[in-house]
Amino acid sequence: MDGGSGLNIMYTEMLDAMGVDRVRIRPTGVPFHGIMPGKQAMLLGQIDLPVTFEGPSIYRMETLAFEVVGFHRTYHAILGQPCYVKFMAIPNYNYLKLKMPSPGRVITIGTSF
């Protein structure tokens, strides 16, 4: 979760682990800043992937656009402001929880170590 990020970022290692074919990546050729301090990073492209958040008996699924990067990081993906807007989610960084509306109830997502 990164509420300060204007991008949803997916790393190529995660795409490979999920078995997503790289031909689905749409080339963009646009650089961005802020992931590696003081350096410009080149995107490999953009990909649309379905994202599902689940509660005990409810779920919410939306398709998100991810910017794909080809360098190694400790995360699988970074969910930024575009994710929060699409899901109408509210992050709580103190408790590492994410809350979002769903039909009938609120879904609360917590961490798992």
Side-chain angles (χ1 to χ4, degrees):
M1 298 184 332
D2 186 357
S5 175
L7 302 172
N8 296 318
I9 298 173
M10 178 70 64
Y11 299 95
T12 53
E13 293 174 350
M14 189 62 203
L15 285 177
D16 294 341
M18 292 187 320
V20 175
D21 193 354
R22 289 193 186 192
V23 297
R24 292 182 52 196
I25 299 172
R26 296 182 307 275
T28 58
V30 178
F32 69 103
H33 302 271
I35 295 293
M36 298 180 296
K39 293 186 178 180
Q40 171 179 306
M42 285 301 292
L43 297 173
L44 297 177
Q46 192 176 63
I47 190 168
D48 294 328
L49 294 172
V51 174
T52 305
F53 288 104
E54 296 183 49
S57 61
I58 51 177
Y59 70 96
R60 235 351 256 279
M61 182 170 58
E62 300 283 349
T63 300
L64 295 179
F66 286 91
E67 309 302 326
V68 180
V69 294
F71 49 86
H72 177 70
R73 299 298 282 180
T74 57
Y75 305 108
H76 299 297
I78 295 176
L79 300 176
Q81 290 177 355
C83 172
Y84 298 157
V85 169
K86 189 110 181 201
F87 280 95
M88 295 183 289
I90 306 291
N92 185 310
Y93 296 105
N94 292 332
Y95 297 104
L96 295 176
K97 303 255 187 224
L98 187 66
K99 292 188 175 206
M100 68 193 69
S102 72
R105 295 200 303 211
V106 172
I107 297 174
T108 301
I109 306 298
T111 61
S112 63
F113 297 99

